[in-house]
Amino acid sequence: QQVQHYRCMAQLEGEVREMAADLRTTEPATAAKLYRTIGFCRFMLEEYSTALELHENDEAICSETGNLRGVGGAFSSQAMCHGEGLGDYAKAMELYEAGRAICEETGSRLGLATALGNLGVCSHAMGAYEQALSYLGEAKKIYEEFGNDAGITKACSYMVSCFEALDQLEQAAELRAAGHRPAVPEEKGNREGIDFASAPCSDMCVFFTEAASGNF
């Protein structure tokens, strides 16, 4: 995974699934991580139905063990599959909202910013720009609390795009003057070599990478 050879990872899926099944009772956290890892691999290979199955196994284990943050992370991974992969933005938003509720319950502020950002990105993809601005503005405020420049930049880039779509050019110009460019979705294609932790795969990919890196 570290060198992004996802097709090589996929060849190990059978062994990984067997290991996860064996460890589910004795080491559930490890089993969940195995499902999460190979699910991420299948997502990167654009095999979304298989990825969903694996992330649902991750969710089930986290739910059984009371790991709420793990459940939230699994929701986020499933949302990526539904949104970017299958184009079902409504389902993606439903899952991101569920993740948002978990972040609020557990006090995970950065996780909350991620969930809000994801909701904003979904709304942007659906053309609901006013709604997107509301979500993105909330996410930006939280990132500002933490001095998270990368999060602020990501939120602002989508906000510029929304303002321009709404013909609110003065607001867009203010953000552009601060160095923010509008978000430009990347084309899907061969995902070999894509560093998911540093760049989104498209406009529907996870807003930022707390969920993918295990810091949901």
Side-chain angles (χ1 to χ4, degrees):
Q1 182 178 23
Q2 290 179 359
V3 296
Q4 302 154 26
H5 287 174
Y6 303 115
R7 297 193 188 282
C8 291
M9 288 176 65
Q11 294 173 10
L12 300 172
E13 182 174 329
E15 292 101 313
V16 173
R17 283 179 179 264
E18 288 181 10
M19 290 170 62
D22 289 342
L23 292 169
R24 184 161 184 163
T25 301
T26 57
E27 296 185 43
T30 302
K33 185 175 182 179
L34 289 170
Y35 283 123
R36 187 181 316 133
T37 300
I38 201 68
F40 170 68
C41 162
R42 289 297 181 184
F43 172 84
M44 295 301 283
L45 293 174
E46 300 181 20
E47 298 173 6
Y48 302 115
S49 296
T50 302
L52 273 170
E53 176 196 345
L54 291 158
H55 289 308
E56 286 166 359
N57 284 332
D58 175 22
E59 176 200 341
I61 294 172
C62 290
S63 180
E64 291 166 7
T65 57
N67 180 358
L68 282 180
R69 289 196 178 186
V71 172
F75 283 157
S76 184
S77 297
Q78 291 171 46
M80 287 192 297
C81 295
H82 282 290
E84 178 183 0
L86 303 174
D88 188 347
Y89 303 148
K91 181 61 177 180
M93 290 191 73
E94 178 185 322
L95 288 160
Y96 283 133
E97 283 285 8
R100 173 186 181 177
I102 289 174
C103 289
E104 290 173 339
E105 181 178 349
T106 60
S108 174
R109 294 288 288 166
L110 281 175
L112 177 59
T114 300
L116 290 165
N118 282 327
L119 287 163
V121 171
C122 284
S123 299
H124 176 276
M126 297 170 70
Y129 299 115
E130 293 281 5
Q131 183 181 48
L133 283 169
S134 178
Y135 286 127
L136 293 165
E138 290 184 64
K140 177 174 173 285
K141 287 179 182 177
I142 297 174
Y143 282 126
E144 287 172 341
E145 291 176 18
F146 289 88
N148 188 319
D149 291 336
I152 295 167
T153 297
K154 191 69 170 179
C156 287
S157 70
Y158 276 97
M159 291 173 74
V160 172
S161 183
C162 290
F163 282 132
E164 291 183 344
L166 293 167
D167 204 29
Q168 297 177 11
L169 302 184
E170 183 176 344
Q171 294 92 324
E174 289 178 2
L175 289 176
R176 276 182 173 273
H180 300 296
R181 296 180 298 172
V184 179
E186 296 182 19
E187 293 294 329
K188 287 200 295 184
N190 182 2
R191 297 184 184 276
E192 295 289 355
I194 294 175
D195 182 358
F196 184 71
S198 64
C201 302
S202 82
D203 64 329
M204 279 304 302
C205 204
V206 74
F207 180 78
F208 235 166
T209 56
E210 285 83 357
S213 63
N215 299 320
F216 185 82

